[in-house]
Amino acid sequence: MSRPLLVVDAANVIGSVPDGWWRDREGAAVKLRNSLVEVGEHGLPAVALGPLDVVLVVEGKARHVQSVTGVRVVSATTSGDDAIVEVVRTEAAGRRCVVITADRDLRRRVTELGADVLGPRSVR
């Protein structure tokens, strides 16, 4: 059985908490990436027990954040939403896929592809 896929909209999750992230967007993305390592290992109650395949999609000033063991980082070359949809389209077949975002249009686009969606608080 394939591991569930968790795709995280970095900009949306980071922007959901007004903690000064705008002063260091790359640093905020690194902090989120690092916190997702444990999520990948142990899972999320609303998704599945770990391990999960975790993909963090970054864009803009955070696009230089690198992957680490347990979290693959995808740097969007254009729209972060388009990159997330592409990950879901190409990697979700045959397994559970959950996208973490609060973006309404993105939620619609990924659910049309069969993904489930949870809000940013689920990984904060």
Side-chain angles (χ1 to χ4, degrees):
M1 182 173 198
S2 298
R3 292 177 3 166
L5 175 64
L6 183 70
V7 184
V8 180
D9 180 350
N12 192 267
V13 172
I14 292 166
S16 70
V17 178
D19 61 359
W21 59 263
W22 50 89
R23 291 188 290 271
D24 182 8
R25 293 169 195 250
E26 186 171 351
V30 167
K31 182 178 175 182
L32 175 59
R33 179 205 60 199
N34 294 346
S35 74
L36 291 172
V37 171
E38 185 173 332
V39 172
E41 291 172 355
H42 301 288
L44 281 176
V47 178
L49 297 176
L52 308 175
D53 288 337
V54 179
V55 177
L56 177 66
V57 178
V58 297
E59 60 186 300
K61 293 184 179 184
R63 71 182 174 272
H64 301 294
V65 172
Q66 300 295 309
S67 297
V68 295
T69 301
V71 179
R72 182 166 57 94
V73 177
V74 172
S75 181
T77 55
T78 56
S79 156
D81 289 2
D82 289 347
I84 291 165
V85 169
E86 188 61 21
V87 168
V88 172
R89 184 184 335 272
T90 60
E91 298 183 31
R95 61 178 167 163
R96 178 139 193 235
C97 177
V98 177
V99 176
I100 306 296
T101 189
D103 181 296
R104 286 184 187 169
D105 186 55
L106 178 58
R107 291 170 75 94
R108 179 191 55 76
R109 292 173 68 191
V110 298
T111 56
E112 288 174 354
L113 295 172
D116 294 317
V117 179
L118 293 173
R121 288 185 184 160
S122 62
V123 295
R124 293 294 283 190

